[in-house]
Amino acid sequence: MIYSSGKTKDLGGGFLVRRILPQFETRSVGPFVFLDHMGPVSAESGEELVVRAHPHIGLATVTYLYDGVILHRDSLGVEQRIQPYEVNWMTAGSGIVHSERSQPDANYQIIEGIQAWVALPTEFEETNPEFHHFERNEIPTVSSGGWELRVLAGSFLGETSPVKVFSSLFYVDLEVEAGAEAEFPIPKNQEAAIYIARGSLDIGGKILGVGELAVFPIGDPIQLRAESTSRVMILGGSPLKEPRHLWWNFVSSSRARIDKAKEDWKLGKFAEVPNESERIPLPEF
């Protein structure tokens, strides 16, 4: 078992996130190469989270909210409000540009959520970009003694999400009551991890709290006991066949492809996002 803790990152304007993946101890889990925990922060004006237009290649992103509302815009012309329990899956493939901005909403006083990046298999790294939105009632749900989970993407416990994915994976939102125990089988050739977003769990005899990740030996079942009412993400799948290079918002099996994406963004060759006048410049690091 590998345990690690998220590192604090500033997305700009003082909006802080916990960077869970990648870490020195764990670069990826299955095809998941990036995991951020946003918030919780007070959401009042709609200016709490402002991520200007920026590009992606070679991956799929999913933004999943516990609280608050975010407005997604992208270069496909999609403009979509993201609300709690909804799945918003964006396949970047050959290249996409998007922005994210929190929105004031009388139903939510805070904003909090998880954003993950999934590396696409090499044969799909240059697939056409897509965006798909799914309402809460479209997501499969499984519940038992003291816990309930939603299969956001891939397959888990015999349920399959409607989200279009390109590899064997699972991405699950689990809510568990204090004192409840659970065991979830994992296919023998797949990796799995669990991230604690709220509450605390006993995993393998170690108590983990908010911001901590446990990575299980490949094929081992996930066994847990909730020390307090908790909200966690379960993620994993088949390991990547080839290593991935990550630079800024770009993911690829080829360093040369990342270099091309850098140059394309610098020269303004990516498509533009309608109704967005600002963009994040290419970093100098």
Side-chain angles (χ1 to χ4, degrees), residues 1 19 27-28 71 133 157 176 200 220 235-236 254 270 282:
M1 190 90 69
R19 180 67 42 82
R27 305 303 299 175
S28 61
L71 180 66
H133 171 82
L157 294 186
V176 57
S200 57
D220 275 15
L235 61 146
S254 165
F270 276 84
L282 187 76

Side-chain angles (χ1 to χ4, degrees), residues 12-92:
F15 190 88
L16 303 180
V17 301
R18 287 189 179 91
R19 180 67 42 82
I20 313 306
L21 288 176
Q23 294 285 356
F24 177 78
E25 303 90 342
T26 306
R27 305 303 299 175
S28 61
V29 180
F32 290 85
V33 295
F34 179 96
L35 195 71
D36 264 4
H37 181 179
M38 307 177 292
V41 296
S42 174
E44 298 177 356
S45 68
E47 297 180 356
E48 286 72 25
L49 171 65
V50 176
V51 183
R52 294 169 293 160
H54 60 281
H56 290 288
I57 64 165
L59 54 80
T61 72
V62 57
T63 300
Y64 187 71
L65 295 178
Y66 295 153
D67 279 295
V69 177
I70 288 176
L71 180 66
H72 162 98
R73 292 185 177 129
D74 65 40
S75 52
L76 298 177
V78 174
E79 186 167 310
Q80 176 66 54
R81 279 170 60 90
I82 304 173
Q83 301 184 97
Y85 293 98
E86 298 176 346
V87 175
N88 298 267
W89 189 277
M90 185 182 76
T91 300

Side-chain angles (χ1 to χ4, degrees), residues 96-171:
I96 199 168
V97 182
H98 77 133
S99 66
E100 293 174 301
R101 299 174 184 271
S102 57
Q103 302 290 289
D105 191 291
N107 295 317
Y108 302 102
Q109 282 70 54
I110 64 172
I111 183 166
E112 181 181 15
I114 307 289
Q115 185 172 78
W117 294 359
V118 178
L120 297 175
T122 52
E123 63 269 30
F124 293 112
E125 284 184 309
E126 297 299 322
T127 194
N128 292 330
E130 298 177 328
F131 180 88
H132 299 284
H133 171 82
F134 297 89
E135 303 287 342
R136 179 176 183 173
N137 60 8
E138 298 178 87
I139 304 303
T141 301
V142 182
S143 60
S144 188
W147 58 264
E148 179 176 271
L149 63 78
R150 285 156 288 281
V151 184
L152 308 182
S155 298
F156 199 75
L157 294 186
E159 297 287 346
T160 299
S161 166
V163 173
K164 178 182 177 181
V165 297
F166 294 84
S167 58
S168 180
L169 61 86
F170 48 88
Y171 191 46

Side-chain angles (χ1 to χ4, degrees), residues 185-207:
I186 301 298
K188 64 180 180 180
N189 62 341
Q190 295 192 358
E191 298 175 335
I194 189 165
Y195 170 69
I196 293 83
R198 295 176 175 177
S200 57
L201 300 181
D202 182 334
I203 299 177
K206 183 178 177 65
I207 307 301

